[in-house]
Amino acid sequence: MKRFNLSAWAVSHQSLVLFLIVALGVAGFFSYQKLGRAEDPFFTVKVVNVSAIWPGATAKEMQTQVADPLEKKLQELPFFEKVQTYSKPSFTALQVTFRDSTSPKDVPYLFYLLRKKLVDAQGQLPDGLLGPVVNDEFSDVDSMLYMMTGDGTDYKQLKATAEGLRQRLLKVPGVTKVDLYGAQDERIFVEFSHAKLATLGITPQALFDSLAKQNNVVPAGTVETSSQRVAAARHRRARRRQGGCGNARRKQWPRVSASATSRPSPMVSSIRRPSGCARKASRR
C-alpha cells in the first residue's frame, strides 16, 4: 500500500495550500492584536467576603444566630457554588464563591444582589450586631507606590497636599483608585485630674457623657405659616454654654473646663506614637 506523501499532495494542490497559508497568517495577525500584554493582566475574582461583629457573643452564638441566617440567604444567589464560614467570639466571616462558569460581566450584578440579600436578612439578625460588611475589593493590588515627605511640614499639610495629588491622579486614563496610607487624623486630647473630679463630685463617666453630648444634632422643630414652612435651628454655641456635668448634691452645673483641660494635637500626639505611619529610610 502506497503511503501518503504530504509534500507531493502540497505540490499538486498549490492553490489550496496558498489559501491556507494566507488564512493562517491573517488569523495569527488578528490574534496577536488581541493578545494581552499588560504588566498586570485584568482578571475577575468571583469571591466576596462578608464579615460581622457582635460584641460579647460566643462563637456558637455567632454561628447559630448570625452565620446560619446569612448562609441560608446567600444560597439563594444565582451561580452560587459554596460558602465557607469562620466564627470566633464576637466575630464571624463568610467567604462566598461563585461558579467558574460565571461570566465576568455578571459578577458586579451578583455582588449587587448579594448586598440586597444581606439587607433582607437584617430582620433575622440580633440587635447590636455591627455589619454585615461586604468586601469585594480585597483582590485589588497597588501597581505603583509613591512616598511623600516634607522637612518641617506637619501631617496636616502633607495630607492636604496628598489629597490634591490624589484628585489629579484619578484623572489619569487607566487609574481606577488611589489610596492614601499613613494619613494621620487630627485629634483633641482631654486631660483631667481624678482628684479634682472627686472634689467636684463628678464621675469620669459623667464627664465623658457631657463631652459626647456637645456635638449632638437635635431637631428644633419647624414653624409653619400660611405661605411657607421654616425649619428652626438651635445654635450649638448655646448648647456649649450650658454643657457640663451635673452635680446632684450641689445643684450646680460646672463647666467641663473647670474639671478638665483640652489641647489640640497637630495630627499626632507628642505622647502617643502615631498609628499607621508610612516609613522610608527611617523617615515618616
Side-chain angles (χ1 to χ4, degrees):
M1 182 177 179
K2 188 178 179 180
R3 299 180 59 183
F4 176 74
N5 192 334
L6 181 61
S7 300
W9 180 87
V11 172
S12 60
H13 299 80
Q14 295 183 9
S15 301
L16 180 59
V17 172
L18 181 62
F19 171 78
L20 293 176
I21 293 175
V22 174
L24 290 176
V26 173
F29 175 78
F30 284 104
S31 299
Y32 180 78
Q33 295 296 324
K34 297 181 180 180
L35 184 66
R37 298 183 297 271
E39 181 179 356
D40 298 315
F42 177 79
F43 60 93
T44 303
V45 178
K46 303 168 185 177
V47 179
V48 59
N49 290 338
V50 180
S51 60
I53 299 176
W54 188 14
T58 62
K60 184 176 181 180
E61 290 174 340
M62 293 299 300
Q63 180 64 39
T64 57
Q65 301 187 40
V66 179
D68 288 348
L70 292 179
E71 289 179 359
K72 294 177 181 178
K73 207 67 180 177
L74 295 176
Q75 288 173 355
E76 301 174 1
L77 291 170
F79 301 102
F80 174 85
E81 181 178 4
K82 64 178 180 179
V83 56
Q84 295 175 308
T85 305
Y86 169 76
S87 298
K88 67 177 184 178
S90 304
F91 177 82
T92 187
L94 299 88
Q95 187 178 74
V96 184
T97 305
F98 296 98
R99 300 173 189 169
D100 292 336
S101 59
T102 305
S103 176
K105 64 180 181 180
D106 294 333
V107 173
Y109 179 68
L110 291 177
F111 290 168
Y112 168 73
L113 290 180
L114 183 141
R115 286 180 167 85
K116 288 187 61 178
K117 294 293 183 182
L118 295 179
V119 173
D120 296 339
Q122 290 286 348
Q124 306 176 21
L125 302 178
D127 296 334
L129 183 72
L130 304 179
V133 178
V134 179
N135 180 14
D136 55 0
E137 298 180 348
F138 64 93
S139 61
D140 293 349
V141 295
D142 297 325
S143 57
M144 290 181 290
L145 184 63
Y146 294 96
M147 182 76 179
M148 180 179 293
T149 60
D151 295 332
T153 306
D154 57 17
Y155 283 98
K156 184 176 183 180
Q157 294 174 334
L158 282 176
K159 185 177 180 181
T161 305
E163 288 288 353
L165 181 61
R166 176 181 178 273
Q167 295 299 327
R168 298 183 64 180
L169 289 175
L170 288 174
K171 298 179 182 179
V172 177
V175 176
T176 57
K177 185 171 64 174
V178 179
D179 293 326
L180 298 180
Y181 299 103
Q184 303 298 315
D185 296 328
E186 192 172 4
R187 303 178 178 89
I188 296 179
F189 297 97
V190 178
E191 301 171 344
F192 59 89
S193 171
H194 289 277
K196 197 168 186 179
L197 288 180
T199 303
L200 296 174
I202 303 173
T203 62
Q205 186 60 44
L207 180 62
F208 299 151
D209 295 340
S210 178
L211 291 174
K213 295 178 181 178
Q214 299 306 308
N215 293 325
N216 283 354
V217 179
V218 295
T222 58
V223 178
E224 296 187 5
T225 63
S226 57
S227 59
Q228 60 182 350
R229 181 179 182 182
V230 181
R234 185 179 179 184
H235 204 288
R236 296 189 181 184
R237 185 174 299 178
R239 296 207 304 270
R240 285 197 291 268
R241 293 196 192 101
Q242 300 173 2
C245 301
N247 190 336
R249 184 179 63 185
R250 300 183 182 182
K251 300 298 182 182
Q252 297 176 355
W253 293 92
R255 294 175 59 87
V256 173
S257 58
S259 55
T261 58
S262 62
R263 57 180 178 86
S265 173
M267 304 301 281
V268 178
S269 171
S270 59
I271 300 177
R272 304 176 185 175
R273 294 184 59 186
S275 60
C277 277
R279 296 177 180 272
K280 178 183 180 182
S282 302
R283 296 180 59 185
R284 293 180 183 172

